[in-house]
């Protein structure tokens, strides 16, 4: 029996099992088994040297955004309108067969936009190049899920389910669970608050399913069984997602208003070029990019080429800013002057741990090189020769 058949068999068993207090331990073990099998499904076949076939797209710019959706929802048209890069669009499905990159120039930054082939139900099992599409989505900073506004809401649920099956968690934060494997000592289970979804017995059974008999587990929030399995697996990707409803020109205004009021959603029309500026501002807001401008000492700030930082790519502190310029700069920094939103007064003397905000201006003051041997009359070195034999002999006195 293959991995996919085993997953379907366990899902069928979960579907016919009643959910109550007596069966929660059995359901927890079944969820752990499915998570292990799906991890095996994503692993490359044994004996292969590489990580599997995928789309070769080099990272470029200050951020990466992936377009994911069903075929013929307007992904290629949206890429062409936002970046100017031509992506073939036609009235038939699966027009795009590979990954087509484009660059969005917005707020002095460059954002890489990827047009991916349409995925279908069963993409997590490898149907329709689904694994390659999802692999590119995992390397992105933001996912734009493009949906057809005239179709049912079921498309959004199907896509979310397919992405969740391969370890992509949309618009979620990592669970506050501390987990560490140990060599000895058994399993240590603790929590900082009352738990309603998981108890000590269920945690032990899930860990034994993974053949883990020595570990330390600490719950800092009332997490579920799925959260615990995600922490044990350790390969989950928590990524932000914006739901883009295209083709709003073919539905009524009441339906458009209903879609626009949903969280993390933007309604657009590529045919009539409606609301594209709102989509760009929403992308900028979700990516959380921070532009920092440099100011040389005694000169005006340079507003032409900012240093772009991000919490997802390194961090947004002064230390991250210095590392972005050069790794060896930190040891020479004496203090930093900051102008902008993050400063309480202008300029503010800051250290390396100071968090920077968008459009801050930073001036780095470096340490002065110490003069060897003191200064002035206290200099310990002289220009005289070190050896007596090298000294110039004085001329004899005239008598």
């Amino acid at each position: 029996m293959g991995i996919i058949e085993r997953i379907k068999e366990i899902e069928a068993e979960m579907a016919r099992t009643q959910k109550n207090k007596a069966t929660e331990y059995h359901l927890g073990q079944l969820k752990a088994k499915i998570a292990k099998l799906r991890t095996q499904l994503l692993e490359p076949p044994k004996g292969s040297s590489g990580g599997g076939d995928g789309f070769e797209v080099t990272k470029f710019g200050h951020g990466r955004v992936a377009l994911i959706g069903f075929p013929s929802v307007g992904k290629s048209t949206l890429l062409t309108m936002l970046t100017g890069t031509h992506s073939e669009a036609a009235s038939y499905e699966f027009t795009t067969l590979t990954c087509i990159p484009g660059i969005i120039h917005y707020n002095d930054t460059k954002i890489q936009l990827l047009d991916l082939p349409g995925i279908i139900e069963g993409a997590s099992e490898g149907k329709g190049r689904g694994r390659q599409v999802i692999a590119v989505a995992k390397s992105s900073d933001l996912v734009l899920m493009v949906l057809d506004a005239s179709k049912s809401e079921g498309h959004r649920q199907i896509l979310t389910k397919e992405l969740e099956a391969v370890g992509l968690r949309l618009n979620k934060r990592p669970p506050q669970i501390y987990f560490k494997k140990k060599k000895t000592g058994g399993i240590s289970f603790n929590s900082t608050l009352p738990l309603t979804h998981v108890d000590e017995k269920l945690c032990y059974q899930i860990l034994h399913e993974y053949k883990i008999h020595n570990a330390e587990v600490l719950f800092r929030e009332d997490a579920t069984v799925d959260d615990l399995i995600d922490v044990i697996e350790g390969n989950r990707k928590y990524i932000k997602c914006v739901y883009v409803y295209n083709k709003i020109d073919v539905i009524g205004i009441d339906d458009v208003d209903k879609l626009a009021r949903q969280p993390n959603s933007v309604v657009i029309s590529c045919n009539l070029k409606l609301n594209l500026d709102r989509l760009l501002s929403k992308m900028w807001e979700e990516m959380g990019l921070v532009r920092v401008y440099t100011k040389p000492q005694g000169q005006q700030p340079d507003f032409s080429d900012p240093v772009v930082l991000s919490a997802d790519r390194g961090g947004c502190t002064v230390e991250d800013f210095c590392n972005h310029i050069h790794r060896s700069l930190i040891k020479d920094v004496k203090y930093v002057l900051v102008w902008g939103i993050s400063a309480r007064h202008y300029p503010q003397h800051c250290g390396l741990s100071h968090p920077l905000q968008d459009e801050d201006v930073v001036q780095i003051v470096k340490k002065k090189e110490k003069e060897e041997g003191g200064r002035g009359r206290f200099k310990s070195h002289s220009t005289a020769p070190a050896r007596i034999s090298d000294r110039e002999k004085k001329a004899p006195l005239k008598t």
Side-chain angles (χ1 to χ4, degrees):
M1 184 183 295
I3 296 178
I4 297 176
E5 288 77 12
R6 290 165 64 188
I7 290 175
K8 290 182 179 179
E9 183 180 340
I10 296 174
E11 287 178 343
E13 184 179 352
M14 291 178 62
R16 63 175 178 263
T17 303
Q18 293 183 354
K19 295 181 180 179
N20 52 47
K21 193 71 176 176
T23 60
E24 64 178 3
Y25 301 110
H26 179 60
L27 289 173
Q29 284 184 313
L30 294 179
K31 288 180 179 179
K33 288 181 180 179
I34 287 184
K36 285 176 61 180
L37 291 173
R38 282 180 174 155
T39 302
Q40 295 176 15
L41 194 64
L42 295 176
E43 291 176 352
K46 292 182 179 179
S48 62
S49 57
D53 54 342
F55 300 119
E56 295 181 1
V57 182
T58 305
K59 275 196 173 185
F60 181 81
H62 304 109
R64 172 181 273 197
V65 180
L67 294 172
I68 286 184
F70 280 95
S72 297
V73 294
K75 299 188 296 298
S76 300
T77 308
L78 182 61
L79 176 85
T80 304
M81 298 189 69
L82 292 180
T83 66
T85 304
H86 176 68
S87 181
E88 185 179 353
S91 57
Y92 53 88
E93 294 186 348
F94 296 105
T95 310
T96 304
L97 299 177
T98 185
C99 180
I100 300 176
I103 301 297
I104 302 174
H105 296 271
Y106 187 73
N107 286 348
D108 296 330
T109 60
K110 297 175 183 177
I111 301 173
Q112 187 180 41
L113 186 65
L114 302 179
D115 179 20
L116 298 170
I119 61 177
I120 57 177
E121 191 172 1
S124 58
E125 301 170 1
K127 294 182 180 178
R129 305 200 76 179
R131 291 187 194 174
Q132 293 93 319
V133 172
I134 292 168
V136 175
K138 278 190 173 183
S139 67
S140 304
D141 303 308
L142 178 69
V143 168
L144 292 185
M145 187 181 291
V146 185
L147 303 164
D148 192 338
S150 61
K151 299 291 177 66
S152 63
E153 182 66 17
H155 282 192
R156 173 173 167 176
Q157 297 175 358
I158 292 172
L159 286 173
T160 304
K161 182 180 177 182
E162 293 295 330
L163 296 178
E164 292 253 342
V166 293
L168 272 174
R169 300 292 180 259
L170 303 180
N171 296 327
K172 294 181 180 179
R173 58 177 180 81
Q176 298 296 312
I177 301 175
Y178 173 78
F179 172 75
K180 183 180 180 181
K181 292 182 182 180
K182 298 188 299 184
K183 294 183 178 180
T184 58
I187 297 175
S188 172
F189 180 87
N190 290 296
S191 63
T192 59
L193 73 171
L195 301 178
T196 59
H197 305 288
V198 182
D199 59 6
E200 190 171 355
K201 180 181 176 182
L202 180 57
C203 178
Y204 283 11
Q205 288 186 346
I206 293 175
L207 289 173
H208 289 168
E209 185 66 36
Y210 282 92
K211 298 180 180 178
I212 299 174
H213 306 290
N214 299 287
E216 188 176 349
V217 183
L218 173 63
F219 281 76
R220 295 192 178 99
E221 66 177 6
D222 189 12
T224 61
V225 178
D226 297 321
D227 295 333
L228 177 60
I229 293 174
D230 288 348
V231 172
I232 296 173
E233 286 283 345
N235 58 356
R236 304 305 191 225
K237 172 75 174 180
Y238 297 87
I239 191 169
K240 296 178 181 177
C241 177
V242 176
Y243 303 99
V244 182
Y245 291 92
N246 191 19
K247 305 180 183 179
I248 60 172
D249 51 319
V250 298
I251 61 176
I253 189 65
D254 294 336
D255 296 330
V256 173
D257 183 67
K258 182 181 177 181
L259 294 174
R261 292 181 183 277
Q262 294 183 3
N264 302 313
S265 299
V266 178
V267 293
I268 64 168
S269 173
C270 293
N271 187 25
L272 301 179
K273 300 181 180 179
L274 296 176
N275 214 25
L276 295 179
D277 53 346
R278 170 61 184 154
L279 174 60
L280 289 173
S281 63
K282 183 68 174 178
M283 286 170 50
W284 177 265
E285 177 186 340
E286 292 294 331
M287 293 182 74
L289 298 180
V290 175
R291 295 165 293 173
V292 181
Y293 299 96
T294 57
K295 181 186 180 300
Q297 197 165 359
Q299 301 180 25
Q300 292 295 322
D302 181 15
F303 292 110
S304 59
D305 188 17
V307 175
V308 181
L309 306 174
S310 172
D312 297 330
R313 292 192 178 191
C316 300
T317 62
V318 172
E319 183 177 359
D320 302 320
F321 170 77
C322 296
N323 287 330
H324 195 280
I325 296 175
H326 200 277
R327 289 285 180 184
S328 63
L329 184 59
I330 293 181
K331 61 183 180 181
D332 297 329
V333 174
K334 184 177 182 182
Y335 61 89
V336 174
L337 297 175
V338 178
W339 294 260
I341 301 174
S342 66
R344 296 181 181 178
H345 46 80
Y346 302 148
Q348 179 179 345
H349 285 61
C350 301
L352 296 176
S353 61
H354 177 75
L356 298 172
Q357 299 289 337
D358 191 26
E359 295 187 322
D360 277 359
V361 178
V362 174
Q363 175 183 328
I364 298 176
V365 179
K366 299 175 69 175
K367 300 175 184 175
K368 292 184 178 180
E369 295 182 1
K370 294 182 179 180
E371 296 183 6
E372 295 182 0
R375 300 174 63 183
R377 52 186 274 205
F378 299 102
K379 285 185 178 179
S380 60
H381 65 277
S382 64
T383 57
R387 296 184 302 176
I388 297 178
S389 59
D390 294 336
R391 294 179 182 175
E392 294 183 4
K393 293 183 179 180
K394 294 182 179 180
L397 294 174
K398 293 181 180 180
T399 55

